[in-house]
Amino acid sequence: MRCKDLENTFDGWTGDLAHLTVLRESLSCYISAEDLSVLQERIELLHRQWDEICHQLSLRRQQVSEKLNEWTVFNEKYRELCEWLTNMESKVSQNGDISIEEMIEKLRKDYQEEITVAEENKLQLHQLGERLARASHQSKATEIEQKLSKVSDRWQHLLDLIGARVKKLRETLVAVQQLDKNMSSLRSWLAHIETELSKPIAYDTCDFQEIQRKLDLQQELQRDIEKHSTGVASVLNLCEVLLHDCDACATDAECDSIQQATRSLDRRWRSICALSMERRLKIEETWRLWQKFLDDFARFEEWLATSEKTAALPNSSGVLYTVAKEELKKFEAFQRQVHETLTQLELINKQYRRLARENRTDSSCRLREMAHDANQRWDNLQKRVASILRRLKHFISQREEFETARDSILVWLTEMDLQLTNIEHFSECDIQAKIKQLRSFQQEISLTTAKIEHIFHQGEALIEKSEPLDAAVIEEELEELQRYCQEVFGRVERYYKKLIRLPLADDDTEVSLSDRELELDEPCDLSSLPWSERLGDGFLSPLPSSGRSASLAAQLRTERSGRDTPASVDSIPLEWDHDYDLSRGLESASRALREQQSEEGDFIQRPASALSDVVIPESPEAYVKLTEQTLRSST
């Protein structure tokens, strides 16, 4: 206020000073030059004093203004220092997007420089506050001291915070570095264990000692895994702690990195634990599969050995026909058994394929050799049995073909014999018709001669190949066939010759004469017929083996397949001729015999009396019996 009053006074003096200058100018013409010079000097001195007073007043005013503005300056500096302390505390507490190393570097250099600069401001604030406290009354001095004390406390807190922050960051850095070191070590160990567990299990041999050796190696790996379980748990716990540490996870990238490392470690740890367990179980399962394969192979090999012995000594050559048939049945059943064991062989092959597919075989290839040996031996056995069966079937088929052809000739001879009997005894046809029928018989005989010759040649070949007992049976069968052929063909020849010597007549009595008359004549020579030469050359000649013992044939009569002497109609299947009217033939024969009763005497009377009470048969068996009775009565 005093400065303002002085300034107002000085403002009034400015006009007076200007008035003095005007007065000097007006006196210049009235006073001398010396006086004027003195006056000028005094006026200049006055101006200099005026300027000095104005300058001192300005300095005084400035000093007063500065004294008055020190409170404002103190408050402003106090506010700025408090804001700086707050900002610095925030920056020290937070990392931002920088790493721990960069944060420590900032705390040690960048932030330390700011603190040094701010410390000078703090000292100035203290000095200003002390001056103000001394210049102010008690209440203002207390307020200033409180503010200075608060600044000092916050300053110390900032220094402590920086120290604790640096210490904590260094500990975190050490923990992160230790985590990296442990993680790197675990990664190397995990890679080694994963490599060991991922290697396929190679077995040198397929025995229990090899399995035990693999289990021991696996147990060593398991102990190594269990030994590292504590280290893995500590690393996982450290990762969990760092995930909740804002310094270690200052950025999203660092947080993601720790999370990924944690998940990766946990996943790989669980994986190797599972792989170790699976590897041990796989070794144990391999032993069970080996045992199953070896047991099945042992049983199959035992069967193979027995079967190979059976197939090695077959009774297929130099045996009787009945023995060959029994042997055929035996080997057919044996072949079915061989085919049934194919299922067991396929089971063995399936087990070996699984072992090979899952790398459970031995490097010595014993399992492969066993499977290959089983397949090869089964194939050889199957081929051997098939060869034996072909040989037996060929031998039996030759005999059966011979028997079938012989039976067909016997049936044919029996039919011709019955037809010849019908013509001789029961036919109402005239002589020309009978001759025509006999000529058809001769033609049929001529056509069948080649077949009969083939049967005899076939029988002779079988006799040469067969055993003595079978040869005797075949020889007897050929002799029986030969005798039956001679009997039937001889009857045809004799009846034909007698018919061609009879005169042709229209009388029914000549037509109905019995064959008994014709048989009383002398027998004719078979060689005179046109088809008799081939018959005599082919099979009426003595057989090459006819000198064999007849006792052998008699011994084997019971071993033949139900066949007896061909001449015995009881043992040969006969056919009923449905085209022939037996009742009509018997009635006409009876009527003719009654008409000739007086001329023929007792010879004609006997057959007439035999036919007087004839009964018409209703079946082929009755017809055969009637024919036999007629033949017996005629002889």
Side-chain angles (χ1 to χ4, degrees), residues 16-28:
D16 293 339
L17 185 60
H19 183 67
L20 285 176
T21 303
V22 173
L23 288 177
R24 186 192 67 81
E25 291 294 333
S26 64
L27 290 176
S28 61

Side-chain angles (χ1 to χ4, degrees), residues 399 402-403 406 455-456 458-464 466-483 539 541-554 556-557 560 563 566:
R399 179 67 179 273
F402 167 75
E403 299 290 349
R406 176 179 170 275
I455 291 174
F456 274 85
Q458 189 176 9
E460 292 172 1
L462 285 174
I463 289 173
E464 294 177 359
S466 301
E467 290 297 301
L469 294 179
D470 283 343
V473 173
I474 296 171
E475 181 179 357
E476 185 179 356
E477 290 178 348
L478 290 177
E479 290 175 355
E480 291 173 353
L481 179 62
Q482 181 181 6
R483 287 194 299 269
F539 50 85
S541 59
L543 295 173
S545 59
S546 60
R548 297 192 182 187
S549 175
S551 63
L552 295 176
L556 285 180
R557 287 183 186 273
R560 297 184 309 188
R563 289 186 297 275

Side-chain angles (χ1 to χ4, degrees), residues 203 205-206 286-294 360 367:
Y203 302 96
T205 58
C206 56
T286 299
W287 173 239
R288 290 194 296 271
L289 293 176
W290 281 3
Q291 284 182 313
K292 181 67 167 58
F293 177 84
L294 293 174
R360 298 175 188 261
L367 293 175

Side-chain angles (χ1 to χ4, degrees), residues 590-607:
S590 178
R591 185 173 62 251
L593 289 175
R594 284 195 299 271
E595 291 175 355
Q596 296 178 2
Q597 204 169 27
S598 59
E599 299 176 359
E600 301 296 331
D602 294 337
F603 178 74
I604 303 298
Q605 186 176 3
R606 183 173 56 186

Side-chain angles (χ1 to χ4, degrees), residues 157-427:
H157 177 266
L158 176 61
L159 295 179
D160 295 339
L161 180 62
I162 291 175
R165 183 66 174 156
V166 170
K167 181 181 178 181
K168 200 263 183 186
L169 287 175
R170 286 177 177 173
E171 291 176 352
T172 303
L173 180 61
V174 171
V176 171
Q177 291 175 348
Q178 185 66 32
L179 175 63
D180 293 339
K181 181 180 178 181
N182 294 341
M183 190 69 75
S184 177
S185 176
L186 280 178
R187 286 194 185 100
S188 300
W189 176 80
L190 287 172
H192 168 69
I193 292 296
E194 288 170 346
T195 302
E196 292 294 327
L197 292 177
S198 62
K199 288 181 180 179
I201 306 174
Y203 302 96
D204 296 333
T205 58
C206 56
D207 51 17
F208 181 74
Q209 288 75 15
E210 181 68 13
I211 294 295
Q212 190 61 44
R213 189 172 67 86
K214 295 299 179 182
L215 287 175
D216 292 340
L217 293 176
Q218 178 59 31
Q219 188 63 31
E220 291 180 4
L221 285 177
Q222 183 64 30
R223 284 194 293 266
D224 189 17
I225 292 172
E226 293 174 356
K227 184 174 66 176
H228 283 78
S229 61
T230 305
V232 172
S234 64
V235 170
L236 291 175
N237 291 334
L238 182 58
C239 289
E240 188 69 22
V241 171
L242 292 177
L243 281 174
H244 295 84
D245 191 343
C246 60
D247 296 328
C249 299
T251 61
D252 294 338
E254 292 177 350
C255 184
D256 293 339
S257 175
I258 295 177
Q259 288 179 350
Q260 290 178 2
T262 304
R263 287 194 294 265
S264 175
L265 177 60
D266 184 66
R267 183 182 66 254
R268 294 177 69 180
W269 172 252
R270 294 177 183 274
S271 176
I272 64 170
C273 291
L275 285 175
S276 178
M277 179 63 67
E278 291 176 2
R279 192 176 178 89
R280 182 178 63 82
L281 294 177
K282 185 176 181 180
I283 295 173
E284 294 174 352
E285 184 185 15
T286 299
W287 173 239
R288 290 194 296 271
L289 293 176
W290 281 3
Q291 284 182 313
K292 181 67 167 58
F293 177 84
L294 293 174
D295 292 343
D296 291 346
F297 177 79
R299 288 192 296 269
F300 187 74
E301 186 180 29
E302 182 180 358
W303 175 85
L304 271 178
T306 305
S307 301
E308 287 170 347
K309 291 179 181 178
T310 302
L313 300 173
N315 198 7
S316 60
S317 60
V319 295
L320 297 176
Y321 171 69
T322 55
V323 176
K325 292 183 71 174
E326 292 297 327
E327 195 73 8
L328 178 63
K329 292 180 180 179
K330 170 186 173 183
F331 272 90
E332 284 178 346
F334 183 59
Q335 188 182 44
R336 288 193 296 271
Q337 182 183 1
V338 171
H339 289 165
E340 288 172 359
T341 56
L342 181 61
T343 304
Q344 186 178 357
L345 179 60
E346 285 299 325
L347 177 62
I348 293 175
N349 290 333
K350 184 178 180 181
Q351 293 176 10
Y352 176 75
R353 285 194 295 269
R354 178 186 176 184
L355 291 174
R357 184 174 60 252
E358 297 178 359
N359 293 323
R360 298 175 188 261
T361 56
D362 57 321
S363 58
S364 61
C365 300
R366 183 190 170 199
L367 293 175
R368 185 181 66 181
E369 290 174 357
M370 293 168 70
H372 183 267
D373 180 65
N375 284 274
Q376 188 66 36
R377 291 173 66 184
W378 187 91
D379 289 339
N380 294 337
L381 177 63
Q382 189 268 339
K383 293 176 182 177
R384 172 71 175 168
V385 173
S387 175
I388 294 171
L389 286 175
R390 283 195 302 270
R391 186 161 63 248
L392 289 171
K393 287 179 180 178
H394 177 69
F395 173 71
I396 294 173
S397 65
Q398 286 183 332
R399 179 67 179 273
E400 289 178 346
E401 288 175 3
F402 167 75
E403 299 290 349
T404 302
R406 176 179 170 275
D407 290 343
S408 66
I409 294 299
L410 290 176
V411 172
W412 174 74
L413 288 172
T414 304
E415 291 177 352
M416 182 173 289
D417 191 11
L418 292 175
Q419 292 177 13
L420 184 59
T421 301
N422 290 335
I423 294 172
E424 288 178 338
H425 299 284
F426 307 113
S427 177

Side-chain angles (χ1 to χ4, degrees), residues 401-632:
E401 288 175 3
F402 167 75
E403 299 290 349
T404 302
R406 176 179 170 275
D407 290 343
S408 66
I409 294 299
L410 290 176
V411 172
W412 174 74
L413 288 172
T414 304
E415 291 177 352
M416 182 173 289
D417 191 11
L418 292 175
Q419 292 177 13
L420 184 59
T421 301
N422 290 335
I423 294 172
E424 288 178 338
H425 299 284
F426 307 113
S427 177
E428 296 178 354
C429 300
D430 54 9
I431 294 176
Q432 290 294 336
K434 291 184 177 182
I435 291 173
K436 185 177 180 181
Q437 289 180 349
L438 288 177
R439 284 176 179 171
S440 66
F441 287 168
Q442 293 174 356
Q443 185 178 4
E444 188 176 353
I445 290 171
S446 178
L447 294 175
T448 315
T449 301
K451 184 176 180 182
I452 297 175
E453 290 177 356
H454 176 70
I455 291 174
F456 274 85
H457 289 311
Q458 189 176 9
E460 292 172 1
L462 285 174
I463 289 173
E464 294 177 359
K465 297 178 182 179
S466 301
E467 290 297 301
L469 294 179
D470 283 343
V473 173
I474 296 171
E475 181 179 357
E476 185 179 356
E477 290 178 348
L478 290 177
E479 290 175 355
E480 291 173 353
L481 179 62
Q482 181 181 6
R483 287 194 299 269
Y484 198 28
C485 287
Q486 289 175 349
E487 179 183 348
V488 175
F489 296 166
R491 286 186 61 194
V492 172
E493 182 180 7
R494 291 192 301 271
Y495 191 53
Y496 176 77
K497 287 183 177 181
K498 291 185 182 298
L499 285 177
I500 61 178
R501 291 201 306 268
L502 290 177
L504 299 176
D506 295 332
D507 192 0
D508 293 337
T509 58
E510 295 181 2
V511 178
S512 61
L513 289 178
S514 171
D515 186 48
R516 178 62 179 168
E517 277 186 24
L518 300 177
E519 289 180 354
L520 295 176
D521 296 338
E522 294 179 358
C524 299
D525 189 6
L526 254 141
S527 61
S528 62
L529 293 177
W531 40 269
S532 62
E533 294 180 0
R534 194 184 315 168
L535 186 65
D537 296 338
F539 50 85
L540 291 180
S541 59
L543 295 173
S545 59
S546 60
R548 297 192 182 187
S549 175
S551 63
L552 295 176
Q555 181 179 353
L556 285 180
R557 287 183 186 273
T558 58
E559 297 182 5
R560 297 184 309 188
S561 57
R563 289 186 297 275
D564 209 333
T565 305
S568 176
V569 294
D570 289 334
S571 63
I572 302 173
L574 303 178
E575 293 185 2
W576 177 256
D577 189 359
H578 298 281
D579 297 333
Y580 180 73
D581 192 351
L582 182 60
S583 62
R584 186 182 61 181
L586 293 177
E587 289 175 359
S588 61
S590 178
R591 185 173 62 251
L593 289 175
R594 284 195 299 271
E595 291 175 355
Q596 296 178 2
Q597 204 169 27
S598 59
E599 299 176 359
E600 301 296 331
D602 294 337
F603 178 74
I604 303 298
Q605 186 176 3
R606 183 173 56 186
S609 62
L611 293 173
S612 61
D613 57 346
V614 70
V615 179
I616 300 174
E618 297 180 354
S619 64
E621 292 79 5
Y623 172 71
V624 172
K625 293 180 180 180
L626 180 61
T627 304
E628 290 180 349
Q629 294 174 3
T630 304
L631 290 174
R632 293 191 190 97

